[in-house]
Amino acid sequence: MLTESFVASTRSADRQAQVTATKDIGIHLHDLQPIPSLKTSFKKSTTQPNCLAVSATHIFAAQADKSVVHVYNRERGNQEAVVPFQEKITCLAHAGQYHGAGTLVLGTKGGRLILWELATGRQISTSQSHLQAVTCLAVDPTFNFILSASSDSNLQLWSLSSLLSFSQPSPNDPSQPLPFSPIRTMTNHRAAINAVLFSHIPGLTSFAISAANDQTCIVWDYLNGIVLQTFLLSDNPMSLALDPADRAAYAAFEDGSIQFIDFYKPNHPLHSLFDPSQQSTPTQPPPSDRWHLQDSSSSPAYSLQISYDSMTLLSGHGDGKVYTWNIAKGMYAAQLADFTLPVTNLIMLPPMGFPVTQTPNVKLQNIVKPRYESSHNVDNDSNGDITIPIDYNFTVQLLSTLPSAGTFPGPSDLDAALTHPSFPACILEEGIAEITALNNHSFGSLDPDDDNESETLRTENKNLKTQLDDALRRQREAIAEVLEYDQQNLRRMEEDSVKRARKKRRRIRKMEMEERRRKVVMGEAVEKRKENEVSGAEEEMEEDLSSDTDELSSD
């Protein structure tokens, strides 16, 4: 039986109550299916929206209006550590495999990002790239990119591997990006951004969606920095949720209502987000797609999450309640839980109970607190080679047996793809998408003396991009041909239907005319028969009269 759970965090209502709330329960682990029930609670926490992150072994909670992150161990059920930072933490996100060690990405009030490697304690801090506080963070499914949103209305795309790399480009080289700098900045919003999400499916059709206080939701092609679609809302969205199949989005408002945003249009052959004719025109969802609570509650919805089967939407509200919504019916369903304090964060956990699951290779037993001196502890020798610091240790528990001498591990996904009759398109799309997004930004470092190799790589990338453009062009042409063929068939079917309708109408008119003629003929026959009967009766009467006259004369 599948078990589905979620983690909820709360925030104290005011400053005075916040002091008391730090001693009370602030994080809840709650079951959704098969039977809704509270499993575990953690004390001493009060969090703002977008300040909660969860892995298989730990829960991370950035404390409200503080420069402190509380770390909770899920297996032991207690608080493992209190980690201080130099700035107030305004949001955070976990980057990496759910069962792995991973990296914690933190946004600060000063507008910078902090990356903390949980298994090594290494900490990397970027420059102040945002002009105001970072409000929310998102990590893409491939763990290659980070999106940071801010109160300054800007979105910035970062390369996670470049930030964590021990090799950083020289600031004196104009052909290379500045170290610890974003790939691009997207500036279409006009107010503070409250939520940002990546699509669940990686590849060339992946996208991101952001919601801001300018009453808009914007869907981005973040790999190229292009706006795919702008949705005009009737109020300022406070939080977002994305359908697991990337078919629709859901926005929550201050009055507790939910706006359904459909990405697919009926009878449309292409995904509407990637239709060039739809990208320049803002779209406003219909009022009928806005769902309201049954009562007149005006409690804001701070957080949204969707169940694994895409049938149930969860919303956390300022009155401490968690409500469920029936997505199929588009309406409020029931109250799931009541945590008293405002529910600022909801995070759905991966479902448990599948018959076949992949066993993780490592397990993070205890986090390694960040070492501030390791932020820029990178040594480059005179030959340009990278030297990893001598105190760089990776502390995890190994869950699988290491291969013995003379043996090799099993084939990787890439090895299996190379030996397969056809190379998987998803691997090609993912690799080309990363190359396209980074343009000339390198994931690692190249030998500066090896210009030929760099030129070869650029040429190969250019050829791959050209081949991809040709493939996309051929695909568009094929789709156009199929559409034209379908339209011709549709016109032919419509013409045949019109002809059949005309024949039917002519047949009906002919039958009606024949029926009228038959009625006329029948009527004439009846009238003639009646005339004959009348004339016959008259003749009989005359004969009777004549016979009576003859009898009287004989008498």
Side-chain angles (χ1 to χ4, degrees), residues 101-119:
T103 301
L104 193 67
V105 185
L106 306 99
T108 70
K109 189 175 182 180
R112 70 180 74 245
L113 299 188
I114 298 175
L115 280 73
W116 168 24
E117 292 183 353
L118 300 174

Side-chain angles (χ1 to χ4, degrees), residues 248 323 355 462:
Y323 296 113
K462 185 177 180 181

Side-chain angles (χ1 to χ4, degrees), residues 251-511:
F253 299 108
E254 193 170 1
D255 62 352
S257 61
I258 307 296
Q259 178 69 61
F260 170 65
I261 304 173
D262 193 0
F263 293 156
Y264 285 86
K265 296 184 178 180
N267 301 324
H268 201 282
L270 300 175
H271 196 315
S272 60
L273 295 181
F274 296 91
D275 185 1
S277 62
Q278 304 290 330
Q279 295 175 2
S280 59
T281 305
T283 303
Q284 186 170 11
S288 59
D289 286 343
R290 187 165 178 174
W291 310 337
H292 296 271
L293 295 170
Q294 289 183 343
D295 56 10
S296 57
S297 173
S298 60
S299 176
Y302 291 117
S303 53
L304 291 175
Q305 284 291 310
I306 300 180
S307 62
Y308 178 76
D309 58 3
S310 304
M311 298 300 294
T312 304
L313 178 69
L314 276 66
S315 59
H317 293 257
D319 57 2
K321 295 180 176 58
V322 177
Y323 296 113
T324 59
W325 305 75
N326 190 316
I327 294 179
K329 296 182 179 179
M331 60 183 295
Y332 165 80
Q335 176 181 322
L336 182 63
D338 188 353
F339 299 127
T340 307
L341 297 175
V343 180
T344 53
N345 295 278
L346 291 174
I347 296 180
M348 293 297 300
L349 303 181
M352 300 176 61
F354 285 108
V356 179
T357 57
Q358 184 178 3
T359 304
N361 295 323
V362 297
K363 179 181 180 181
L364 184 64
Q365 288 282 72
N366 297 286
I367 57 100
V368 180
K369 289 188 176 181
R371 297 192 302 271
Y372 303 105
E373 69 276 9
S374 65
S375 297
H376 303 286
N377 190 9
V378 179
D379 298 327
N380 292 7
D381 60 18
S382 58
N383 296 325
D385 296 331
I386 306 303
T387 303
I388 299 176
I390 194 172
D391 60 345
Y392 186 77
N393 299 318
F394 189 74
T395 308
V396 293
Q397 177 187 359
L398 297 177
L399 300 180
S400 59
T401 306
L402 293 175
S404 58
T407 62
F408 298 94
S412 63
D413 293 340
L414 181 60
D415 294 333
L418 292 174
T419 57
H420 197 270
S422 61
F423 202 83
C426 59
I427 298 180
L428 288 174
E429 290 183 358
E430 181 180 340
I432 296 175
E434 294 173 6
I435 294 173
T436 304
L438 293 178
N439 291 330
N440 294 325
H441 301 277
S442 174
F443 279 106
S445 63
L446 296 174
D447 189 348
D449 296 331
D450 196 356
D451 295 335
N452 293 331
E453 184 177 356
S454 301
E455 184 64 28
T456 302
L457 288 175
R458 282 193 290 269
T459 303
E460 292 178 355
N461 292 341
K462 185 177 180 181
N463 293 335
L464 286 173
K465 187 175 180 180
T466 302
Q467 294 175 8
L468 179 62
D469 292 339
D470 293 339
L472 291 175
R473 177 181 54 76
R474 289 194 298 270
Q475 183 182 17
R476 286 194 294 268
E477 292 176 353
I479 292 174
E481 291 178 358
V482 171
L483 290 177
E484 180 64 24
Y485 180 75
D486 292 341
Q487 290 176 357
Q488 291 178 359
N489 288 338
L490 182 61
R491 287 194 296 269
R492 192 179 301 110
M493 293 172 61
E494 291 177 350
E495 292 174 356
D496 294 341
S497 177
V498 171
K499 290 179 180 179
R500 287 194 298 270
R502 289 176 179 174
K503 289 180 180 179
K504 185 176 181 180
R505 286 196 297 270
R506 286 196 296 267
R507 189 164 56 252
I508 292 173
R509 285 197 297 269
K510 185 177 180 180
M511 293 172 63

Side-chain angles (χ1 to χ4, degrees), residues 205-239:
T205 58
S206 61
F207 60 88
I209 181 171
S210 58
N213 285 338
D214 54 4
Q215 299 186 5
T216 62
C217 278
I218 298 180
V219 182
W220 305 85
D221 176 6
Y222 63 91
L223 297 174
N224 299 299
I226 300 173
V227 175
L228 296 177
Q229 187 74 44
T230 301
F231 294 94
L232 305 179
L233 306 179
S234 56
D235 205 346
N236 289 329
M238 303 190 66
S239 57

